[in-house]
Amino acid sequence: MSVDLEVQKAIRARLTTWGGVLALVPAAQILDTLQRPSAMPAILLGDSQAVDEGTSLRRTHTRVYHSLHVWQSEASMKGVKTIAGEIRRAIHAGRLTMPAGMHCADVRVSSMRFLRDPDGEHSHGVVVVEALIAEVAS
């Protein structure tokens, strides 16, 4: 079982059930894709890094850094910042629900940054979700 893939699934499950996010981005627009979305607003999942936390000789603690890319058709940054704020609220609402054999010990939004797209018609935000996952005997 891939720890970072399970974190991605848990993040998507949280975002697609969080009213504040859904009020801004339809669930069908929370995607795992490599392409800039054609319909906006959208949240793209998928960029991640899994790092052994080094706190267990059994190597059962993994810190996952997962990037969410927020896209909006707008000339300002207001929309992506609003969506990023709702993502932060959703993630900070509690630990992620993980499958049997894994436990989310901690989760937080560790950074948010906002970029202007060179075309001048879109804004882009990157939200980094950091999760500490413990693998446990099921």
Side-chain angles (χ1 to χ4, degrees):
M1 195 176 322
S2 170
V3 175
D4 56 323
L5 179 57
E6 295 303 326
V7 168
Q8 176 180 317
K9 290 176 186 178
I11 290 170
R12 185 171 194 287
R14 174 71 56 84
L15 297 180
T16 57
T17 58
W18 189 262
V21 172
L22 294 177
L24 301 169
V25 180
Q29 286 304 111
I30 301 174
L31 310 162
D32 179 5
T33 183
L34 299 175
Q35 304 296 325
R36 179 193 287 187
S38 56
M40 296 187 197
I43 299 170
L44 304 185
L45 308 160
D47 297 342
S48 64
Q49 178 184 15
V51 179
D52 184 324
E53 191 65 359
T55 57
S56 165
L57 291 176
R58 294 181 61 214
R59 304 292 178 225
T60 56
H61 299 130
T62 304
R63 188 165 304 272
V64 176
Y65 302 88
H66 196 87
S67 297
L68 307 173
H69 293 263
V70 180
W71 286 92
Q72 176 71 291
S73 296
E74 64 181 347
S76 72
M77 296 288 197
K78 182 180 177 184
V80 292
K81 288 182 178 183
T82 301
I83 294 167
E86 281 304 318
I87 290 171
R88 184 176 183 277
R89 281 190 257 310
I91 295 300
H92 289 182
R95 294 183 179 141
L96 298 174
T97 302
M98 302 298 293
M102 293 184 186
H103 169 73
C104 180
D106 189 28
V107 65
R108 69 186 182 121
V109 169
S110 60
S111 70
M112 295 189 289
R113 63 188 164 153
F114 305 96
L115 309 120
R116 297 191 188 281
D117 199 59
D119 69 8
E121 297 176 12
H122 300 93
S123 58
H124 178 199
V126 181
V127 178
V128 177
V129 177
E130 188 178 321
L132 177 60
I133 306 300
E135 294 178 67
V136 295
S138 50

